[in-house]
Amino acid sequence: MISDATEVAARVDMVQIFIFGMMAFWFIACNAVLVYFMLRYRRKGPDDKVANIKGNHMLEIVWTVIPCILVLIIFYYGVVVWKDLRVPPEGEPVYEISVTGQKWSWSFKYPNGATTGNELIVPVGTNIKLNMKSADVIHSFFIPEFRVKEDVVPSQYTYMWFNAKYAGEYNIFCTEYCGKDHSHMLGKVKVLDADNWENWEKTGLMLGEEILPPLENGEKLFVKRGCKGCHSIDGVKLVGPTMLDAYGRSAAFDDGQSYTIDDNYIVESIKYPERHIVAGYPRGQMPSFDGQLSDSELSDIITYIKSIKSE
Ligand code: CUA
């Protein structure tokens, strides 16, 4: 695995190695002198007298000034690299993507209107800026290989930028505890080469990837968009109701009404989940996917949900 997948990552590591190296050198040097002095100037007998030294100004100035200079070097080096890590290079084009964190998945919206869930698709060698917000609680967006990490905060926009050097796949972790399924809030960055990116931007498909039939595409979306984390397909009760035999049945809702689970209800519950909650399930758990799924994607998900039936 590539450990420094951006230009800045290698420099972040250099700062780290520099500070660690310097600390290690002085730790060992100071302790070596300490041990030497303990042995060299130990009391050798009852009549052993030591010289009465009052102080040495020169020595004190030297051991104050040298550490000051070293700390200033660390500060300067750190600030310079931090600035490059934080601010996209001036005057260069930047490709901006909106990121929303919500319990417990990531969604991405691109300038051409495309959306993806838990999978950030970017071109190689391009300055990418992520404009990030949260739909519920504080999350934190971390791509270890890029050395970038930034909190994603409700009612506040935060940002980060990176420029991936190599095409490939990298992990995204949520690094702020955000509830029950925090540890499952995982994603991938897919860095595409120029040809693949051009194709994806136009068609939403990777080179060589085919358009899936509705049922398969619905199943893929159900997993990729994180539905499966809360809605089982085998009858087990998770955070939300199971999808097993869900379609077509009549369900009691927490407002005392009862509705039939049909296409309209499924679309409504995906876009505006707070309107009707199935009785026995807590409110405020299901995030809204309004604007994050196209009509054809919603229709494919419905096709898949219809197919989840017990034998
Ligand atoms: Cu989101 Cu932890």
Side-chain angles (χ1 to χ4, degrees), residues 221 267 271 292-302:
L221 287 166
V267 170
K271 286 188 172 179
Q292 294 174 26
L293 291 161
S294 68
D295 287 348
S296 85
E297 286 176 322
L298 284 168
S299 146
D300 292 352
I301 290 175
I302 291 169

Side-chain angles (χ1 to χ4, degrees), residues 102 104 106 137-140 174-179 182-183 185:
Q102 55 194 25
W104 288 276
W106 301 102
V137 298
I138 302 176
H139 305 275
S140 187
C174 177
T175 45
E176 183 70 52
Y177 181 68
C178 55
H182 159 71
S183 60
M185 194 165 167

Side-chain angles (χ1 to χ4, degrees), residues 86-237:
R86 191 65 194 136
V87 188
E90 230 171 282
E92 289 180 27
V94 173
Y95 188 87
E96 301 198 32
I97 299 169
S98 306
V99 179
T100 305
Q102 55 194 25
K103 292 189 282 184
W104 288 276
S105 65
W106 301 102
S107 51
F108 306 100
K109 192 157 192 178
Y110 302 81
N112 66 356
T115 62
T116 57
N118 287 337
E119 222 170 50
L120 173 61
I121 318 275
V122 296
V124 72
T126 307
N127 298 328
I128 307 289
K129 189 178 174 209
L130 304 181
N131 298 308
M132 311 191 293
K133 64 179 194 306
S134 167
D136 39 45
V137 298
I138 302 176
H139 305 275
S140 187
F141 191 86
F142 182 32
I143 311 170
E145 275 98 343
F146 296 175
R147 308 290 187 282
V148 286
K149 174 155 73 172
E150 189 66 30
D151 277 8
V152 180
V153 184
S155 68
Q156 184 182 328
Y157 282 91
T158 54
Y159 72 92
M160 66 159 66
W161 86 276
F162 60 83
N163 184 330
K165 281 199 285 187
Y166 315 102
E169 261 188 49
Y170 307 92
N171 290 315
I172 300 169
F173 296 103
C174 177
T175 45
E176 183 70 52
Y177 181 68
C178 55
K180 190 176 108 343
D181 282 335
H182 159 71
S183 60
H184 296 291
M185 194 165 167
L186 307 168
K188 292 265 182 219
V189 187
K190 281 194 175 167
V191 180
L192 306 184
D193 57 34
D195 290 346
N196 210 350
W197 167 254
E198 203 180 313
N199 188 63
W200 183 83
E201 225 192 356
K202 263 192 230 140
T203 64
L205 297 170
M206 303 288 169
L207 282 177
E209 192 183 33
E210 283 170 39
I211 297 175
L212 290 173
L215 182 63
E216 273 101 272
N217 194 43
E219 182 173 8
K220 192 177 100 179
L221 287 166
F222 194 81
V223 175
K224 272 197 178 174
R225 291 297 172 127
C227 314
K228 213 174 173 177
C230 299
H231 300 284
S232 77
I233 55 167
D234 56 5
V236 173
K237 183 178 172 176

Side-chain angles (χ1 to χ4, degrees), residues 247-295:
Y247 190 86
R249 82 184 171 95
S250 176
F253 288 73
D254 68 355
D255 54 6
Q257 312 248 34
S258 94
Y259 298 87
T260 302
I261 311 293
D262 58 7
D263 296 30
N264 286 325
Y265 175 74
I266 293 173
V267 170
E268 184 178 282
S269 66
I270 291 172
K271 286 188 172 179
Y272 317 109
E274 288 300 286
R275 285 193 187 163
H276 305 291
I277 298 281
V278 177
Y281 291 91
R283 287 190 164 262
Q285 294 298 308
M286 165 90 184
S288 164
F289 286 85
D290 191 20
Q292 294 174 26
L293 291 161
S294 68
D295 287 348

